Amino acid sequence: MKRRVLLTSLIAAAAVCCLAVPAAAETFTSSDGVFSIELPADDWKEMNDPASWVALSDGSNVITVDHYSNGEKLPEIKVADDHYVNVYEAAFSTQNEVFIITGYVVDADEIPEIANSIITAKVLKYDTKMKVNAASQQQTSSDYTIAALDKTMYVTTDSLNIRSGCSTNDQIVGSLVYGDSVHVTGSVQQGGKDFGWYQIQFNNGTGYVSASYLSDSAPAEKSDAKKAANGITFTGTATTVYAMSGTAVTIYKASDGNWYDANGTLFTWITSDKLSNAGGDSFTTNKPADSSSGITPVESFTAYWLNGNGETLTKYSDGSYYSDSWVQYYDAGGGAFAGADGSTLYSTMPEVGTAGGSLVHGLESQGSRRPVEITSDDGDVYYDQSGTTYYQLDDGTYVDSNGDVFDVVW
């Protein structure tokens, strides 16, 4: 059974803007110019969804954005289920409005890129909703009509969810893969106009899919370049990684569980954000500063983790900072530098204190390899130097109040 994790982060709007991660794909901006987010990859598109203000998807994974008047009853926190192995939810607000961004992840390998995408969310125009008619934001599939169709169409994305209704809130009842043919029985309409969903024949009944991922003609076969060496096939899961020069490389997960580039070169993950290829070259999931933009390094210096270990930070001419592994940091003031992966470095070596309790363990996060030291006052609840709370899990690892999981180092 897959272990399901819920990561929930409540982020101040200003902090979200500062923590933007360099993107591997284009920027999506809402039609009213209020909100923007960097898409996780080039194949993500906007979907029509009666239950969400904005819905984005690659056909399988989904990011939704909801916009409420502050004071309205907000929805319950979303939880991972048998289909989604992870739900990443962020919320931020002003005095007048609340934005809730939720990422639904099907494949655990895609958690980092979707979480990094959510971190880039920006409010471009503040306080545009002083009062919202909540009922109008909660439309369901029953509010829509079906215009009859009778034709065959084809799936153009690697994996496409079939749902019980025309909303990402409706239950997933099945899935289709690239090139599959489907019998389309109707077009979902609102006010006599196509809404962007199709009704299809499914399991002697009906299901609903986004119209963005169906075509009247069969798509071309996937390129042989997207197949791994020795006849091992490409599974449909891909991600973008970067060489130290900043060059982007797309790698594909194969049926043997390994990752390969389009030429069949094997890539091996070292940590969750670092990897190397068969030639010994180093890569990272974090995009380095773009040398073609004219941004140049200004100075490098040593910053420190809470445990006293050093890390080289380089300041660039645009005011940004990067570590040697190309994690972006910004100056948080007081000698602290906050990283896009949630880590914190310090310009001077911090004094490792016990925060009023006894020093228990040194930990390292499974995601960002971020080290911390925890103390305990009562043996059940643990704290790091910044006051973050940690809890021990049954397998001996620890989880903090942000949902990040840590291994015991000592």
Side-chain angles (χ1 to χ4, degrees), residues 1-344:
M1 179 179 177
K2 291 183 179 178
R3 181 177 182 181
R4 299 192 291 271
V5 181
L6 169 66
L7 301 181
T8 301
S9 177
L10 301 178
I11 309 172
V16 172
C17 296
C18 294
L19 285 174
V21 176
E26 64 182 32
T27 301
F28 168 82
T29 302
S30 62
S31 58
D32 55 8
V34 169
F35 174 90
S36 73
I37 188 171
E38 305 295 342
L39 298 176
D42 292 331
D43 56 349
W44 281 68
K45 302 176 183 178
E46 184 177 14
M47 299 170 55
N48 287 313
D49 186 343
S52 299
W53 178 54
V54 170
L56 306 163
S57 178
D58 61 357
S60 181
N61 304 294
V62 177
I63 294 175
T64 62
V65 186
D66 291 299
H67 189 186
Y68 297 90
S69 173
N70 200 354
E72 281 186 20
K73 178 177 174 58
L74 300 180
E76 295 181 357
I77 292 175
K78 305 297 191 302
V79 179
D81 55 26
D82 290 338
H83 188 80
Y84 294 114
V85 300
N86 180 275
V87 176
Y88 191 113
E89 190 164 74
F92 52 99
S93 73
T94 69
Q95 291 183 343
N96 298 310
E97 62 191 340
V98 180
F99 293 84
I100 297 178
I101 312 166
T102 308
Y104 303 87
V105 189
V106 172
D107 188 332
D109 291 328
E110 299 177 30
I111 291 173
E113 69 177 26
I114 293 175
N116 283 344
S117 173
I118 291 174
I119 290 174
T120 69
K122 294 181 181 179
V123 178
L124 306 178
K125 297 178 183 178
Y126 286 96
D127 297 333
T128 57
K129 286 194 174 182
M130 304 298 289
K131 183 178 181 180
V132 180
N133 183 346
S136 68
Q137 302 296 312
Q138 300 297 323
Q139 292 175 306
T140 66
S141 300
S142 61
D143 298 310
Y144 298 83
T145 59
I146 305 297
L149 291 174
D150 182 10
K151 65 177 181 177
T152 299
M153 300 187 75
Y154 301 87
V155 178
T156 59
T157 190
D158 293 319
S159 179
L160 178 60
N161 292 326
I162 304 172
R163 296 182 180 271
S164 60
C166 58
S167 163
T168 55
N169 280 352
D170 287 312
Q171 182 182 2
I172 296 171
V173 294
S175 63
L176 299 163
V177 297
Y178 183 87
D180 278 352
S181 62
V182 294
H183 180 201
V184 177
T185 57
S187 175
V188 179
Q189 295 190 338
Q190 179 186 29
K193 296 182 179 180
D194 289 343
F195 183 68
W197 288 72
Y198 284 130
Q199 182 187 75
I200 65 170
Q201 184 176 319
F202 177 70
N203 281 356
N204 297 320
T206 58
Y208 297 84
V209 297
S210 170
S212 300
Y213 303 100
L214 292 186
S215 170
D216 288 326
S217 57
E221 290 186 10
K222 282 191 175 293
S223 168
D224 288 341
K226 292 184 179 180
K227 293 184 178 179
N230 301 321
I232 299 170
T233 57
F234 165 70
T235 64
T237 300
T239 191
T240 302
V241 297
Y242 302 90
M244 292 299 99
S245 63
T247 301
V249 178
T250 300
I251 59 173
Y252 306 90
K253 191 172 184 181
S255 54
D256 64 350
N258 293 318
W259 292 77
Y260 301 84
D261 66 14
N263 298 317
T265 303
L266 175 66
F267 281 66
T268 302
W269 292 91
I270 300 170
T271 67
S272 64
D273 59 358
K274 299 177 187 176
L275 63 166
S276 64
N277 64 11
D281 300 316
S282 297
F283 294 81
T284 173
T285 57
N286 303 292
K287 186 178 181 180
D290 186 353
S291 58
S292 65
S293 67
I295 298 172
T296 57
V298 176
E299 61 174 336
S300 295
F301 57 94
T302 300
Y304 299 91
W305 300 102
L306 279 175
N307 65 0
N309 291 340
E311 175 88 18
T312 299
L313 281 186
T314 299
K315 182 178 181 179
Y316 284 78
S317 53
D318 67 342
S320 61
Y321 296 82
Y322 284 88
S323 68
D324 283 346
S325 59
W326 291 114
V327 175
Q328 187 183 32
Y329 287 78
Y330 74 95
D331 190 344
F337 296 86
D341 61 354
S343 60
T344 303

Side-chain angles (χ1 to χ4, degrees), residues 344-362:
T344 303
L345 295 172
Y346 301 88
S347 57
T348 58
M349 186 179 297
E351 295 182 5
V352 179
T354 62
S358 302
L359 194 62
V360 180
H361 284 305

